[in-house]
Amino acid sequence: MSDWQRENEEVSRDGDIKPPLLSEDQMQEEPGSGRGEEETDAVDVAHVSHGNEKRKEKQNKRIPANLNDVLKKLEEMGYKTSFDVVVREMTFGEKRTALFCLNGLVKEEVLTEVLMRLTFLEPGDLSSDALHSFLDFYVPAAQVDKEENWDMLITFVLAGGSALFIDGESTALKIDAKNFPARGMEEPSLEKVVRGARDGFNETLMVNISLVRRRLRDPKLRYELVMVGERTKTDVCIAYIDDIVDRELLKSIKDKISMVKVDGLPLADKQLEEATIKRGWSPFPLVRYSERPDTVAAHLLEGAVAVFVDTSPSVMTLPTTYTDLVQHAEENRQTPFIGTYLRWVRFIGIFASLFMLPLWLLFVMHPEFKPPVLEFLGPSKTGKIPIFVQFILVEIGVDLLRMASVHTPTTLATAMSLVAAILIGDIAVKTGLFVNEVILYMAIAAIGMFATPSYELGLANRIVRLVLLMAVAAFNVPGLVIATTVIVIFLVNERSMNRPYMWPIIPFDAKALLSIVIRQPLLYNRTRPNILKPQQRDKMPETS
């Protein structure tokens, strides 16, 4: 075999492209081939170059056996530049080692215990296979594994792990001693209950999945971890109960997440939602967010899929419907009668927030439409600004107050409320800029929006109210009817993970609608929602 054939054979082993072996005489132009000697040389050189690049890339992914080479590569990762990158070089049993970790993301007491244990090694304690000795005998950490790929090892360390390099070994040890900074568990501010659990999710993924696991001691509960983002490599956990969840739904969610190709998800679950749920400009939420572990556990038992995103205190549950978004955990913490009453009060508040202002505006503009029992409606004075403009200004003012309350420190929130209620509202009415009833009905609509359990749905309903107001101002009764019809048709055509958004209203499901209108007792609610297509419809276990 000639030198050229040996080189060509080596390229075929290491590269992806495997050109046929040709002799040096076959390098000349073949009769009728249509390819000259120069073109043949160019193609073969390209094959060799491509194979060399592949071989070089493959070698770059390997962990160097020489510790000095490892340290040089670590300098490219921020060692000696970033103060939080820690590399501790030590010699154990005449073997040079280097411990690589990120300060602040590891449990220092665990790594200190590992290093203390290794300091007792003598030269004769290590066999010829030092890696095997460290892995099986001398590293006392609970979770230790081997890693040969450099990129995978660096990703593990950047996620909070630690790596132990051994001189002369092209394999490193992964030590899982993570310690993420996290705030304490607090009750979610958007999903408070009078009675019930006070724990809520925080920004640490392991804490969040543990809170759900504590409530679901089911061996069929599955947590699948994937990484999303070329740079952030954000951990995303897909949770489901294996013998309940619809397989097609699970596969669809996995496929959508796996196809996300972005630099990163610094804003966590919200960016993941936009990347997976192709919602366009629709203001309505197609996923449900929850910060309560008991709520997420209940959805998993129904057959839904939960998506945890690291660094986010909220969890997405898929799929969701409009009726799911108007239910709250407080209803299930009370008796069925009280729960039903609270649910109806919430429904009435949401309905009033949508239609009270447009209907009142319609009656003011056309008093002849008012029924006799509503003759008292309508202002005695219209004010210096048209009624429709007053509503728009008050809507914008409420949004400004809401944003100001979010950005205002807690110690100044009371002072801001006094300024908003007394200086702005009262003086605006007394000067004749606004009508008293405009402020009254706008306050009722705002209360209905704040009573909506889903914050995202409350904001979407505000947009619907503005559309209805503009339709009434422009086209009177036809405008209200047409705008309402268009919005209903839009909601009927919406789908969440290929599930109808307005179920069980459209398509109509009497039994499911009854369970939403009336909070049924636990033992009466024996089946899971058919919209989720669960593998097991019956909730109650079989009894002998």
Side-chain angles (χ1 to χ4, degrees):
M1 184 182 292
S2 64
D3 295 337
W4 186 90
Q5 287 176 320
R6 292 192 186 95
E7 184 179 6
N8 195 16
E9 183 181 17
E10 183 179 1
V11 171
S12 300
R13 286 197 305 266
D14 294 337
D16 290 340
I17 298 179
K18 298 182 179 181
L21 293 176
L22 301 176
S23 64
E24 293 174 346
D25 296 334
Q26 289 174 320
M27 290 292 293
Q28 299 176 359
E29 180 182 4
E30 295 180 6
S33 64
R35 187 172 68 174
E37 182 177 357
E38 293 182 359
E39 183 181 356
T40 303
D41 290 340
V43 172
D44 291 326
V45 169
H47 284 318
V48 174
S49 176
H50 181 75
N52 290 335
E53 292 178 359
K54 285 289 185 179
R55 183 167 62 251
K56 187 176 181 181
E57 181 181 355
K58 187 175 180 180
Q59 290 175 352
N60 287 336
K61 291 184 178 180
R62 295 174 180 171
I63 297 176
N66 191 309
L67 190 59
N68 293 327
D69 295 336
V70 171
L71 296 177
K72 290 181 181 178
K73 296 194 71 170
L74 291 180
E75 291 182 5
E76 300 175 1
M77 307 301 302
Y79 175 45
K80 297 183 178 179
T81 304
S82 297
F83 75 94
D84 63 331
V85 178
V86 178
V87 178
R88 181 71 168 95
E89 298 181 57
M90 297 187 72
T91 301
F92 304 114
E94 297 184 352
K95 270 288 183 182
R96 288 182 61 204
T97 64
L99 181 67
F100 173 44
C101 63
L102 297 181
N103 189 18
L105 296 181
V106 295
K107 295 181 180 178
E108 296 182 359
E109 59 274 11
V110 174
L111 296 183
T112 302
E113 180 65 26
V114 170
L115 296 179
M116 289 180 61
R117 176 73 176 270
L118 295 179
T119 55
F120 293 102
L121 291 180
E122 299 292 339
D125 295 335
L126 296 176
S127 62
S128 57
D129 189 354
L131 179 70
H132 171 75
S133 300
F134 277 106
L135 176 63
D136 295 339
F137 301 110
Y138 302 120
V139 177
Q143 297 182 2
V144 184
D145 200 359
K146 298 184 292 183
E147 183 59 65
E148 298 179 355
N149 186 285
W150 176 265
D151 292 340
M152 295 295 293
L153 184 66
I154 295 301
T155 301
F156 175 77
V157 174
L158 293 176
S162 304
L164 182 65
F165 298 98
I166 304 170
D167 192 22
E169 299 287 346
S170 59
T171 303
L173 294 182
K174 297 191 302 183
I175 303 175
D176 194 350
K178 301 175 183 177
N179 183 32
F180 294 114
R183 61 181 174 90
M185 290 180 291
E186 302 173 356
E187 184 178 11
S189 58
L190 295 178
E191 298 176 277
K192 291 183 178 181
V193 294
V194 178
R195 294 190 182 276
R198 295 291 188 267
D199 56 346
F201 295 129
N202 62 15
E203 290 75 18
T204 305
L205 179 64
M206 289 304 300
V207 173
N208 295 342
I209 64 175
S210 300
L211 289 174
V212 176
R213 176 74 75 174
R214 181 184 179 187
R215 288 167 169 82
L216 286 179
R217 300 177 183 178
D218 188 347
K220 295 294 185 179
L221 177 60
R222 300 287 184 266
Y223 288 135
E224 295 189 16
L225 191 67
V226 295
M227 284 190 179
V228 179
E230 186 67 24
R231 294 184 180 274
T232 61
K233 291 182 171 57
T234 305
D235 289 328
V236 176
C237 176
I238 305 172
Y240 59 93
I241 299 180
D242 193 42
D243 58 345
I244 297 179
V245 70
D246 177 27
R247 293 292 179 182
E248 293 184 2
L249 170 65
L250 179 63
K251 183 178 183 300
S252 176
I253 294 175
K254 288 182 179 179
D255 292 343
K256 288 179 180 295
I257 294 178
S258 64
M259 289 188 296
V260 176
K261 304 298 180 185
V262 293
D263 269 359
L265 302 174
L267 300 182
D269 50 3
K270 191 59 183 177
Q271 289 183 322
L272 182 64
E273 176 201 347
E274 293 184 6
T276 54
I277 308 297
K278 302 297 187 297
R279 53 185 299 173
W281 290 94
S282 171
F284 293 95
L286 299 181
V287 302
R288 178 173 181 175
Y289 289 97
S290 178
E291 298 182 20
R292 296 189 62 88
D294 51 1
T295 300
V296 173
H299 280 82
L300 289 174
L301 284 174
E302 296 285 346
V305 178
V307 180
F308 299 77
V309 183
D310 195 20
T311 71
S312 174
S314 56
V315 175
M316 294 189 294
T317 54
L318 296 165
T320 191
T321 62
Y322 192 96
T323 54
D324 284 336
L325 299 171
V326 296
Q327 299 181 50
H328 193 269
E330 176 66 21
E331 301 156 4
N332 296 293
R333 294 288 183 177
Q334 305 296 334
T335 62
F337 183 87
I338 299 301
T340 302
Y341 167 75
L342 295 176
R343 187 171 292 183
W344 271 92
V345 170
R346 181 174 292 109
F347 291 165
I348 294 172
I350 295 173
F351 185 85
S353 69
L354 289 173
F355 294 101
M356 179 177 287
L357 270 62
L359 288 175
W360 185 85
L361 178 61
L362 179 63
F363 291 152
V364 170
M365 295 175 62
H366 297 277
E368 64 274 13
F369 293 151
K370 287 190 296 185
V373 296
L374 299 179
E375 284 296 332
F376 62 91
L377 290 179
S380 57
K381 297 180 181 180
T382 59
K384 300 179 181 179
I385 301 177
I387 298 294
F388 171 70
V389 178
Q390 292 183 33
F391 275 126
I392 298 298
L393 293 177
V394 173
E395 286 275 8
I396 296 175
V398 171
D399 280 333
L400 285 174
L401 290 176
R402 178 181 57 83
M403 290 187 290
S405 64
V406 172
H407 303 304
T408 303
T410 305
T411 54
L412 301 178
T414 304
M416 189 204 70
S417 301
L418 292 174
V419 169
I422 299 176
L423 297 183
I424 298 179
D426 188 54
I427 295 178
V429 172
K430 288 181 178 179
T431 55
L433 294 178
F434 295 99
V435 178
N436 284 326
E437 292 186 48
V438 171
I439 303 297
L440 172 63
Y441 294 128
M442 188 64 233
I444 296 175
I447 292 174
M449 188 197 75
F450 296 142
T452 307
S454 172
Y455 178 71
E456 292 79 13
L457 181 61
L459 295 178
N461 287 343
R462 169 161 290 183
I463 300 300
V464 171
R465 184 169 65 245
L466 284 173
V467 171
L468 295 179
L469 283 172
M470 290 186 289
V472 169
F475 304 105
N476 301 326
V477 176
L480 178 62
V481 175
I482 294 174
T484 303
T485 305
V486 170
I487 292 172
V488 171
I489 294 175
F490 176 79
L491 290 175
V492 169
N493 289 327
E494 281 278 29
R495 303 184 73 82
S496 173
M497 301 305 300
N498 203 29
R499 301 298 199 275
Y501 192 57
M502 291 303 292
W503 179 90
I505 302 174
I506 301 176
F508 184 72
D509 188 333
K511 187 176 181 180
L513 184 60
L514 181 64
S515 65
I516 292 173
V517 173
I518 300 175
R519 206 288 266 178
Q520 297 181 346
L522 175 65
L523 297 181
Y524 284 86
N525 191 9
R526 292 180 171 270
T527 58
R528 295 183 172 88
N530 56 19
I531 189 177
L532 297 175
K533 300 179 181 178
Q535 300 177 47
Q536 298 180 16
R537 284 294 310 277
D538 192 3
K539 284 185 177 181
M540 303 302 171
E542 296 181 0
T543 57
S544 56

